[in-house]
Amino acid sequence: MHIVVCIKQVPDSAQIRVHPVTNTIMRQGVPAIVNPYDLFSLEEALRLKDRFGGRVTVLTMGPPQAEAALRKCVSFGADEAILVTDRAFAGADTLATSYALAAAIRKIGENEAVDLVFCGKQTIDGDTAQVGPGIAKRLELQLLTYVSQVDDLDLAQRAIRVQRRAEGGVQVLQTTLPCLITMLEGTNEMRFASMDNMFRAARAEVRVWNREQAGIEDVARIGLKGSPTVVSKVFAPKAKEQKAEMIETESDQPRDIALTVVGKLFTQHAKLRGGLAKKLA
Amino acid sequence: MSEASAPARKPAKGKYELDERLKAYQGVWVFVEHEQGEVHPVSWELLGEGRKLADTLGVELCGVVLGAPGLRTRRFCDEAFFHGADACYLVEDPVLANYRNEPFTKGLTELVNTYQPEILLLGATTQGRDLAGSVATTLQTGLTADCTELRIDPDNRSLAASRPTFGGSLLCTILTLNYRPQMATVRPRVMAMPDRDAARSGRIIEHALHLLETDIVTKVLDYIPDARQDKPQLPFADVIVAGGRGMKKPENFQLIRDLAAVLGGEVGASRPVVQAGWVELDRQVGQSGKTVRPKLYIAAGISGAVQHRVGMEGSDVIIAINTDPNAPIFDFATYGIVGNAMTILPALTEVFRQELALAKIAV
Amino acid sequence: MAEKFDAIVVGAGPSGNAAAYTLAKSGLKVLQIERGEYPGSKNVQGAILYADALERIIPDFRDDAPLERHIIEQRMWVLDDDSFVGTHYRSDGFNKPPYNRYTIIRAQFDKWFSGKVQQAGALLICETTVTDLLMDGPRVVGVRTDREGGSIYADVVILADGVNSVLARKAGFRPELDPGDVALAVKEIHFMPEEVVESRFNVADGAGVVIEMFGKITQGMMGTGFLYTNKDSITVGVGCMLSDFKAQQCSPYKLLEEMKAHPSIRPLLEGGEMKEYCAHLIPEGGYKAMPQLYGEGWMIVGDSGMFVNAVHREGSNLAMTTGRIAAETVIEVLAAGKACTAGNLSRYRAKLDDSFVMKDLKKYRELPGIFHRNPQFFTDYPELLNRAAHTMLKVDGIDKKTKEREIRRTFTRKRSLFGLMGDAFKLWRAFE
Ligand SMILES: Cc1cc2nc3c(=O)[nH]c(=O)nc-3n(C[C@H](O)[C@H](O)[C@H](O)COP(=O)(O)OP(=O)(O)OC[C@H]3O[C@@H](n4cnc5c(N)ncnc54)[C@H](O)[C@@H]3O)c2cc1C
Ligand SMILES: Cc1cc2nc3c(=O)[nH]c(=O)nc-3n(C[C@H](O)[C@H](O)[C@H](O)COP(=O)(O)OP(=O)(O)OC[C@H]3O[C@@H](n4cnc5c(N)ncnc54)[C@H](O)[C@@H]3O)c2cc1C
Ligand SMILES: Nc1ncnc2c1ncn2[C@@H]1O[C@H](COP(=O)(O)O)[C@@H](O)[C@H]1O
């Protein structure tokens, strides 16, 4: 079985620190990490490999530094890593990204047919959850998003059964390979790499493909040119004109403060009082 | 949606001529999402927002309903009218009984290609995101996810969709220039629920989907409703009492629970508290948690970081309790209390208990 | 399968990188293990880079190392509550390449250095903590890491794991850290446009200034403050003995906040956007706190061996030099076909004794003790100096002779003439 996992290198927003005294946000030196959502997909792919045998190829499109993210995936147990990098990809939106990644996956499949593609549920920088569905459409793969559990995989029948998170419950879906899965977060826990895998990752050769090597012919469909959306401006959230009305009391007894604020609340928002009372009655 | 990490590209300023072929695209559409016979409220919220866009453009607002043949599906169209739609596109087919990507993508794509709307809005839910990504790719058009604000750019009549970027500390506005329709998803509770007007009605445009069950690869074997009915329903709570890192210890969260109980509300939390495991993931309010718009939001020991703020600033009334008079939460709360949450919360619980006991008698 | 290397270097700071680079360059099979996400991810320094130490390892480092500014001016300030007395030394000699000192940002510098180490052929494994030394009787034969299958063997293990060196302590090579031997430093980086930095400090073309400060800013604790110009940012920080912080129950951040508010410092930072803050320990015990530096199959380099010259704020150069010399010793031993026994590795200590490293540390060996026992250096003297300057400079109709008498009187009122002379003598002896 051959599984391709699409991963993306993103800035680690969790490490954006806040200064203890001034409370300002510090972005400087924020390291790049593998998009956390992708790790749930990678781990699921590795578990399938552990159970059914086969190979896991990790794929990313990004700048040359993204190699570090691929290497990290190799340390977890991926067999091969491919970096698609080309200046022509700059400025890609999700439509152009899925075009390039789909082409690369097709190319990977020329050597060894791909049975399953995994993507993360979404990225923490783009946050769109669009690239996965986009790739599936382009490769005409069955799409299984928000998967919480892979129930069953029958390689002989080329059938797979999964549980998919819906809004008010879980759908049990059955489909055929090849298909594209995005895993829901928290459904598994990434393994801690063994020393052997750390050595393998440090020595691994990451394959680097440019546009042609990735089999992308139509330049008009990648990068800025291939992106229907444009960012027209970036701005800070509007400050609210009115700041909070601060509750001041003669004494600073908690009870006085509570009486004052509840009093104001119920006189200035009379409907709220009625609403609360009705609900509790 | 463009790379948030990439620098803003050359802004598309001023007027530009839309391709002749694209001028035919007119009207604002909202995909009416349903599951197990219930429409997701986000669809009505989107109709409320879509109404404003359609009025600005001077075009029709239409609902799009795909479902199994029957009265229930048709009733979704009526509800769409009650919430502001002028017309409804309806595709009835047995293969549409439960949501599946393949038949829904085909149905929605066909509708768009046939009737050519300029704007198509969907909820940023598990269904809406699954479908939007597929449809946008099939249509080869732009899609902006998780928008927090939708406007019409007066210069060129295009949709200016704003959403958080850079980990939520900034916003960006995204345009889809020479492609139609312009697609966007919006999370539940980001837009206000419009008033329901049962006197309204509209046209139904029916469209046939020529799909056989045997043509569809993916099968729905089962649907397991969330058994845990006590699952918190934060997005739709009227009252939320939320605690942050300033609550200091998990045990202190009992003070939050006590007040929530007296008010008949839900317990919410900031991200650090969720990550520390004091409360369940479902209760996280903010950019990477739930968006809420209760009538009353009480924030105790929460600094009001922008990632938290975007999830709750739609609340009608916000009461903030914080020891730090300079905490950013006081910049946008309704009432601010500078003080120790550990003493203020019990006092509030007591006063609310008494006040509401009185009010209940009056009801 | 347990791999065997010629040498394992624990840590990828300046000392570990210098050692690994030197070893790998000579063709030895080297494994370097770093617990951070990448080299430099957790490392903190002021930071001044002294060119000489690096030049002896990578002569053409100036071609591509991420250097911020070369230093042409050093200011020394003694601060009172709202004033300072100071000296400036600026020399055009320092403004001619090859430059002698640079400011750097460690996260970038360490990453660059590590790139060189890997190019030289060393294998680097990050996000992996060495938890134990593998022993065969008294001999260190390798390391154990926190990963499955984590035992790796080598002829020699070089501990370049920084000031805390849990490993050396665990193995009993070093005693527990004495809070009186380490300083805790906090620093911030404030960003502002390049032109602002240059005009504020009266420099151009990549030149820069450092300010070393002491006096009231450390609130009576033994320590110093510093302010360095980077390309488009300014680093400001303060460090005091850990024992003093403990005794005074003082928060290092508060101390830095108050220092930044000093009327002489605040204008220099005005308008900057603070984007980074961090805290780190500095071993300042000096010569007297230095542990055993080598043994059967092991060596200690850099901060882990207390190689810091606190008086001149030199650390990274000692780290690189000790790393290089340790590596050279190993290269010689292995080239001679010998084993890395304590006896054979003792050349390391001999070479260090011959170098500036030990000579400098020996010279200042009494200083930490003197400052410890005489807090007046950080309280009374700065105040007196500033008051004296104020008295002399203020034009108010009082004749200078009277002023001089007044100054002398305030000095002796604070501290007896005998005490003053004693302090001067102590310092003179220590610096001599
Ligand atoms: C990509 C990204 C996504 C994020 N998503 C979210 C999200 O969805 N939701 C979210 O909440 N955060 C999110 N965050 C984190 C966010 O940036 C803040 O770190 C977080 O909201 C801070 O939580 P807090 O207010 O509880 O804690 P703090 O910022 O530590 O604030 C604690 C507050 O408690 C006050 N306090 C202390 N003691 C008391 C006392 N005794 N009584 C009263 N007040 C007291 C303090 O003055 C302080 O203001 C996200 C961050 C990133 C980078
Ligand atoms: C605020 C401050 C200002 C300073 N200013 C200057 C200055 O201006 N000029 C100057 O020359 N010096 C300065 N110094 C001193 C200088 O930073 C140090 O002397 C130098 O960093 C020592 O290098 P090192 O390689 O020995 O240790 P470190 O740089 O501390 O490196 C040790 C490395 O080992 C790793 N490590 C530790 N334990 C393990 C383990 N068990 N397993 C794997 N890896 C491990 C750590 O992650 C780290 O990367 C300053 C220090 C501070 C704190
Ligand atoms: N540049 C990329 N390279 C590889 N995979 C990507 C890239 N961008 C997005 N993906 C995949 O698509 C998923 C969803 O991304 P997004 O649509 O940006 O939220 C990610 O979790 C990745 O699995």
Short mmCIF file of all heavy atoms in Angstrom, two decimals, chain A residues 62-110:
data_model
loop_
_atom_site.label_atom_id
_atom_site.label_comp_id
_atom_site.label_asym_id
_atom_site.label_seq_id
_atom_site.Cartn_x
_atom_site.Cartn_y
_atom_site.Cartn_z
N GLY A 62 6.66 24.23 -0.85
CA GLY A 62 7.05 25.35 0.00
C GLY A 62 8.46 25.79 -0.32
O GLY A 62 9.08 25.31 -1.26
N PRO A 63 8.97 26.71 0.49
CA PRO A 63 10.32 27.21 0.27
C PRO A 63 11.35 26.13 0.64
O PRO A 63 11.00 25.16 1.32
CB PRO A 63 10.42 28.39 1.23
CG PRO A 63 9.45 28.09 2.31
CD PRO A 63 8.34 27.32 1.66
N PRO A 64 12.62 26.29 0.21
CA PRO A 64 13.64 25.28 0.50
C PRO A 64 13.73 24.91 1.98
O PRO A 64 13.99 23.76 2.32
CB PRO A 64 14.94 25.95 0.03
CG PRO A 64 14.51 26.90 -1.03
CD PRO A 64 13.14 27.38 -0.65
N GLN A 65 13.47 25.89 2.88
CA GLN A 65 13.58 25.58 4.31
C GLN A 65 12.57 24.53 4.75
O GLN A 65 12.71 23.93 5.81
CB GLN A 65 13.34 26.81 5.19
CG GLN A 65 14.18 28.03 4.91
CD GLN A 65 13.56 28.88 3.84
OE1 GLN A 65 13.69 28.58 2.66
NE2 GLN A 65 12.88 29.96 4.22
N ALA A 66 11.50 24.35 3.97
CA ALA A 66 10.46 23.39 4.36
C ALA A 66 11.02 21.98 4.43
O ALA A 66 10.38 21.08 4.96
CB ALA A 66 9.29 23.46 3.38
N GLU A 67 12.23 21.80 3.90
CA GLU A 67 12.88 20.50 3.99
C GLU A 67 12.94 20.02 5.44
O GLU A 67 12.79 18.84 5.72
CB GLU A 67 14.31 20.63 3.44
CG GLU A 67 14.97 19.31 3.28
CD GLU A 67 16.48 19.40 3.23
OE1 GLU A 67 17.00 20.03 2.29
OE2 GLU A 67 17.11 18.84 4.13
N ALA A 68 13.15 20.96 6.36
CA ALA A 68 13.25 20.60 7.77
C ALA A 68 11.96 19.92 8.25
O ALA A 68 11.99 18.97 9.03
CB ALA A 68 13.55 21.83 8.61
N ALA A 69 10.82 20.41 7.78
CA ALA A 69 9.54 19.83 8.18
C ALA A 69 9.42 18.40 7.64
O ALA A 69 8.92 17.50 8.33
CB ALA A 69 8.39 20.70 7.68
N LEU A 70 9.88 18.20 6.42
CA LEU A 70 9.82 16.85 5.84
C LEU A 70 10.72 15.89 6.62
O LEU A 70 10.34 14.76 6.92
CB LEU A 70 10.27 16.90 4.37
CG LEU A 70 9.29 17.55 3.40
CD1 LEU A 70 9.93 17.68 2.03
CD2 LEU A 70 8.00 16.75 3.31
N ARG A 71 11.90 16.38 6.95
CA ARG A 71 12.85 15.55 7.70
C ARG A 71 12.23 15.11 9.02
O ARG A 71 12.39 13.99 9.48
CB ARG A 71 14.10 16.38 7.96
CG ARG A 71 15.38 15.64 7.76
CD ARG A 71 16.57 16.56 7.83
NE ARG A 71 17.04 16.94 6.52
CZ ARG A 71 17.67 16.11 5.69
NH1 ARG A 71 17.90 14.87 6.04
NH2 ARG A 71 18.06 16.51 4.50
N LYS A 72 11.52 16.02 9.61
CA LYS A 72 10.85 15.73 10.88
C LYS A 72 9.85 14.58 10.67
O LYS A 72 9.75 13.68 11.51
CB LYS A 72 10.13 17.00 11.33
CG LYS A 72 9.31 16.83 12.55
CD LYS A 72 9.86 17.69 13.64
CE LYS A 72 9.35 17.12 14.95
NZ LYS A 72 9.72 17.89 16.06
N CYS A 73 9.13 14.62 9.57
CA CYS A 73 8.17 13.56 9.28
C CYS A 73 8.88 12.23 9.06
O CYS A 73 8.37 11.17 9.42
CB CYS A 73 7.32 13.91 8.06
SG CYS A 73 6.29 15.35 8.34
N VAL A 74 10.06 12.27 8.45
CA VAL A 74 10.83 11.05 8.27
C VAL A 74 11.23 10.50 9.64
O VAL A 74 11.21 9.30 9.88
CB VAL A 74 12.08 11.31 7.39
CG1 VAL A 74 12.97 10.07 7.35
CG2 VAL A 74 11.67 11.72 5.99
N SER A 75 11.55 11.40 10.58
CA SER A 75 11.95 10.92 11.90
C SER A 75 10.79 10.20 12.58
O SER A 75 10.99 9.30 13.38
CB SER A 75 12.48 12.07 12.77
OG SER A 75 11.44 12.83 13.31
N PHE A 76 9.56 10.58 12.25
CA PHE A 76 8.42 9.87 12.84
C PHE A 76 8.20 8.52 12.16
O PHE A 76 7.50 7.67 12.68
CB PHE A 76 7.15 10.71 12.70
CG PHE A 76 7.15 11.93 13.58
CD1 PHE A 76 6.86 13.18 13.06
CD2 PHE A 76 7.44 11.83 14.93
CE1 PHE A 76 6.86 14.31 13.87
CE2 PHE A 76 7.44 12.95 15.74
CZ PHE A 76 7.15 14.20 15.21
N GLY A 77 8.74 8.35 10.97
CA GLY A 77 8.61 7.05 10.33
C GLY A 77 8.23 7.06 8.86
O GLY A 77 8.05 6.00 8.26
N ALA A 78 8.09 8.24 8.25
CA ALA A 78 7.79 8.28 6.82
C ALA A 78 8.99 7.70 6.06
O ALA A 78 10.13 7.82 6.49
CB ALA A 78 7.52 9.70 6.37
N ASP A 79 8.70 7.07 4.91
CA ASP A 79 9.77 6.41 4.18
C ASP A 79 10.48 7.34 3.22
O ASP A 79 11.67 7.22 2.99
CB ASP A 79 9.19 5.24 3.39
CG ASP A 79 8.57 4.21 4.32
OD1 ASP A 79 9.33 3.41 4.86
OD2 ASP A 79 7.33 4.27 4.54
N GLU A 80 9.72 8.24 2.65
CA GLU A 80 10.32 9.09 1.64
C GLU A 80 9.75 10.50 1.75
O GLU A 80 8.63 10.69 2.20
CB GLU A 80 10.03 8.53 0.25
CG GLU A 80 10.88 9.21 -0.78
CD GLU A 80 10.75 8.55 -2.15
OE1 GLU A 80 10.01 7.58 -2.29
OE2 GLU A 80 11.40 9.06 -3.06
N ALA A 81 10.55 11.49 1.31
CA ALA A 81 10.11 12.88 1.45
C ALA A 81 10.35 13.62 0.14
O ALA A 81 11.41 13.49 -0.47
CB ALA A 81 10.87 13.56 2.57
N ILE A 82 9.34 14.37 -0.28
CA ILE A 82 9.47 15.14 -1.52
C ILE A 82 9.10 16.59 -1.28
O ILE A 82 8.03 16.89 -0.72
CB ILE A 82 8.57 14.55 -2.63
CG1 ILE A 82 9.05 13.13 -2.93
CG2 ILE A 82 8.61 15.41 -3.88
CD1 ILE A 82 8.16 12.36 -3.84
N LEU A 83 10.00 17.46 -1.68
CA LEU A 83 9.77 18.90 -1.56
C LEU A 83 9.58 19.48 -2.96
O LEU A 83 10.46 19.35 -3.80
CB LEU A 83 10.96 19.57 -0.88
CG LEU A 83 11.02 21.09 -0.92
CD1 LEU A 83 9.86 21.70 -0.14
CD2 LEU A 83 12.33 21.60 -0.35
N VAL A 84 8.41 20.06 -3.18
CA VAL A 84 8.17 20.72 -4.45
C VAL A 84 8.40 22.20 -4.23
O VAL A 84 7.72 22.82 -3.40
CB VAL A 84 6.73 20.47 -4.94
CG1 VAL A 84 6.53 21.09 -6.31
CG2 VAL A 84 6.45 18.99 -4.98
N THR A 85 9.40 22.73 -4.90
CA THR A 85 9.74 24.12 -4.64
C THR A 85 10.11 24.80 -5.95
O THR A 85 10.80 24.23 -6.78
CB THR A 85 10.87 24.20 -3.58
OG1 THR A 85 11.08 25.56 -3.22
CG2 THR A 85 12.18 23.63 -4.08
N ASP A 86 9.58 25.99 -6.12
CA ASP A 86 9.84 26.73 -7.37
C ASP A 86 9.36 28.15 -7.15
O ASP A 86 8.31 28.38 -6.53
CB ASP A 86 9.04 26.09 -8.52
CG ASP A 86 9.60 26.48 -9.88
OD1 ASP A 86 9.78 27.70 -10.12
OD2 ASP A 86 9.86 25.58 -10.69
N ARG A 87 10.12 29.07 -7.65
CA ARG A 87 9.72 30.49 -7.50
C ARG A 87 8.35 30.72 -8.08
O ARG A 87 7.61 31.59 -7.63
CB ARG A 87 10.72 31.39 -8.24
CG ARG A 87 12.09 31.42 -7.63
CD ARG A 87 12.79 32.68 -8.13
NE ARG A 87 12.72 33.72 -7.12
CZ ARG A 87 13.66 33.90 -6.21
NH1 ARG A 87 14.72 33.14 -6.20
NH2 ARG A 87 13.55 34.86 -5.31
N ALA A 88 8.03 29.95 -9.11
CA ALA A 88 6.76 30.16 -9.82
C ALA A 88 5.55 29.90 -8.92
O ALA A 88 4.43 30.29 -9.25
CB ALA A 88 6.70 29.26 -11.05
N PHE A 89 5.77 29.24 -7.77
CA PHE A 89 4.62 28.95 -6.90
C PHE A 89 4.26 30.13 -6.00
O PHE A 89 3.24 30.11 -5.33
CB PHE A 89 4.93 27.75 -5.99
CG PHE A 89 5.14 26.47 -6.73
CD1 PHE A 89 6.13 25.59 -6.36
CD2 PHE A 89 4.32 26.13 -7.80
CE1 PHE A 89 6.32 24.40 -7.03
CE2 PHE A 89 4.50 24.94 -8.49
CZ PHE A 89 5.51 24.07 -8.11
N ALA A 90 5.13 31.12 -5.94
CA ALA A 90 4.92 32.22 -4.99
C ALA A 90 3.56 32.85 -5.17
O ALA A 90 3.09 33.07 -6.29
CB ALA A 90 6.01 33.26 -5.15
N GLY A 91 2.92 33.14 -4.05
CA GLY A 91 1.64 33.83 -4.08
C GLY A 91 0.46 32.93 -4.38
O GLY A 91 -0.62 33.41 -4.72
N ALA A 92 0.66 31.61 -4.26
CA ALA A 92 -0.43 30.69 -4.57
C ALA A 92 -1.54 30.77 -3.54
O ALA A 92 -1.27 30.83 -2.35
CB ALA A 92 0.12 29.26 -4.63
N ASP A 93 -2.78 30.76 -3.97
CA ASP A 93 -3.88 30.58 -3.03
C ASP A 93 -4.24 29.11 -3.02
O ASP A 93 -3.54 28.28 -3.61
CB ASP A 93 -5.05 31.53 -3.32
CG ASP A 93 -5.86 31.13 -4.54
OD1 ASP A 93 -5.47 30.16 -5.23
OD2 ASP A 93 -6.86 31.80 -4.81
N THR A 94 -5.34 28.75 -2.37
CA THR A 94 -5.60 27.31 -2.20
C THR A 94 -5.90 26.62 -3.53
O THR A 94 -5.57 25.46 -3.70
CB THR A 94 -6.78 27.08 -1.24
OG1 THR A 94 -7.89 27.83 -1.69
CG2 THR A 94 -6.40 27.51 0.16
N LEU A 95 -6.50 27.35 -4.46
CA LEU A 95 -6.81 26.72 -5.75
C LEU A 95 -5.52 26.37 -6.48
O LEU A 95 -5.37 25.26 -7.01
CB LEU A 95 -7.66 27.68 -6.60
CG LEU A 95 -8.34 27.04 -7.81
CD1 LEU A 95 -9.46 26.12 -7.36
CD2 LEU A 95 -8.88 28.11 -8.76
N ALA A 96 -4.59 27.31 -6.49
CA ALA A 96 -3.31 27.07 -7.17
C ALA A 96 -2.48 26.04 -6.41
O ALA A 96 -1.77 25.23 -7.01
CB ALA A 96 -2.54 28.38 -7.29
N THR A 97 -2.57 26.06 -5.08
CA THR A 97 -1.82 25.09 -4.28
C THR A 97 -2.31 23.67 -4.56
O THR A 97 -1.53 22.75 -4.77
CB THR A 97 -1.96 25.40 -2.78
OG1 THR A 97 -1.47 26.71 -2.55
CG2 THR A 97 -1.18 24.42 -1.93
N SER A 98 -3.61 23.50 -4.59
CA SER A 98 -4.13 22.15 -4.81
C SER A 98 -3.81 21.68 -6.23
O SER A 98 -3.60 20.49 -6.47
CB SER A 98 -5.63 22.07 -4.53
OG SER A 98 -6.37 22.81 -5.48
N TYR A 99 -3.71 22.61 -7.16
CA TYR A 99 -3.34 22.24 -8.53
C TYR A 99 -1.92 21.68 -8.55
O TYR A 99 -1.66 20.61 -9.11
CB TYR A 99 -3.43 23.46 -9.44
CG TYR A 99 -3.01 23.17 -10.87
CD1 TYR A 99 -3.87 22.51 -11.74
CD2 TYR A 99 -1.74 23.53 -11.33
CE1 TYR A 99 -3.48 22.21 -13.04
CE2 TYR A 99 -1.35 23.24 -12.62
CZ TYR A 99 -2.22 22.59 -13.49
OH TYR A 99 -1.82 22.30 -14.77
N ALA A 100 -1.00 22.39 -7.90
CA ALA A 100 0.40 21.97 -7.90
C ALA A 100 0.57 20.65 -7.15
O ALA A 100 1.27 19.74 -7.60
CB ALA A 100 1.27 23.06 -7.26
N LEU A 101 -0.09 20.54 -5.98
CA LEU A 101 0.07 19.31 -5.20
C LEU A 101 -0.54 18.12 -5.92
O LEU A 101 0.01 17.01 -5.89
CB LEU A 101 -0.56 19.49 -3.81
CG LEU A 101 0.23 20.41 -2.87
CD1 LEU A 101 -0.58 20.71 -1.61
CD2 LEU A 101 1.56 19.78 -2.49
N ALA A 102 -1.68 18.34 -6.58
CA ALA A 102 -2.31 17.24 -7.31
C ALA A 102 -1.38 16.75 -8.42
O ALA A 102 -1.22 15.54 -8.63
CB ALA A 102 -3.65 17.70 -7.89
N ALA A 103 -0.73 17.68 -9.10
CA ALA A 103 0.20 17.30 -10.17
C ALA A 103 1.35 16.47 -9.58
O ALA A 103 1.73 15.42 -10.14
CB ALA A 103 0.75 18.54 -10.86
N ALA A 104 1.87 16.92 -8.44
CA ALA A 104 2.99 16.19 -7.81
C ALA A 104 2.56 14.79 -7.39
O ALA A 104 3.31 13.83 -7.54
CB ALA A 104 3.52 16.98 -6.62
N ILE A 105 1.34 14.67 -6.87
CA ILE A 105 0.87 13.35 -6.44
C ILE A 105 0.71 12.42 -7.65
O ILE A 105 1.06 11.24 -7.61
CB ILE A 105 -0.46 13.47 -5.65
CG1 ILE A 105 -0.20 14.23 -4.34
CG2 ILE A 105 -1.06 12.09 -5.37
CD1 ILE A 105 -1.45 14.64 -3.60
N ARG A 106 0.22 12.99 -8.75
CA ARG A 106 0.12 12.20 -9.99
C ARG A 106 1.50 11.68 -10.39
O ARG A 106 1.67 10.53 -10.75
CB ARG A 106 -0.45 13.08 -11.11
CG ARG A 106 -1.69 12.50 -11.74
CD ARG A 106 -2.23 13.42 -12.83
NE ARG A 106 -3.47 14.06 -12.42
CZ ARG A 106 -3.67 15.38 -12.38
NH1 ARG A 106 -2.70 16.22 -12.72
NH2 ARG A 106 -4.82 15.86 -12.00
N LYS A 107 2.47 12.57 -10.27
CA LYS A 107 3.84 12.22 -10.64
C LYS A 107 4.36 11.10 -9.71
O LYS A 107 4.97 10.14 -10.17
CB LYS A 107 4.73 13.47 -10.48
CG LYS A 107 6.06 13.36 -11.14
CD LYS A 107 5.94 13.69 -12.61
CE LYS A 107 7.23 13.33 -13.33
NZ LYS A 107 7.04 13.46 -14.79
N ILE A 108 4.11 11.25 -8.42
CA ILE A 108 4.54 10.22 -7.47
C ILE A 108 3.91 8.88 -7.85
O ILE A 108 4.55 7.84 -7.80
CB ILE A 108 4.13 10.62 -6.03
CG1 ILE A 108 4.91 11.85 -5.58
CG2 ILE A 108 4.34 9.47 -5.06
CD1 ILE A 108 4.42 12.47 -4.28
N GLY A 109 2.64 8.96 -8.28
CA GLY A 109 1.91 7.75 -8.63
C GLY A 109 2.43 7.06 -9.87
O GLY A 109 2.12 5.88 -10.11
N GLU A 110 3.22 7.76 -10.66
CA GLU A 110 3.75 7.13 -11.87
C GLU A 110 4.72 5.99 -11.51
O GLU A 110 4.82 5.00 -12.23
CB GLU A 110 4.48 8.16 -12.74
CG GLU A 110 3.51 9.03 -13.54
CD GLU A 110 4.23 10.14 -14.30
OE1 GLU A 110 5.48 10.08 -14.40
OE2 GLU A 110 3.54 11.05 -14.78
#
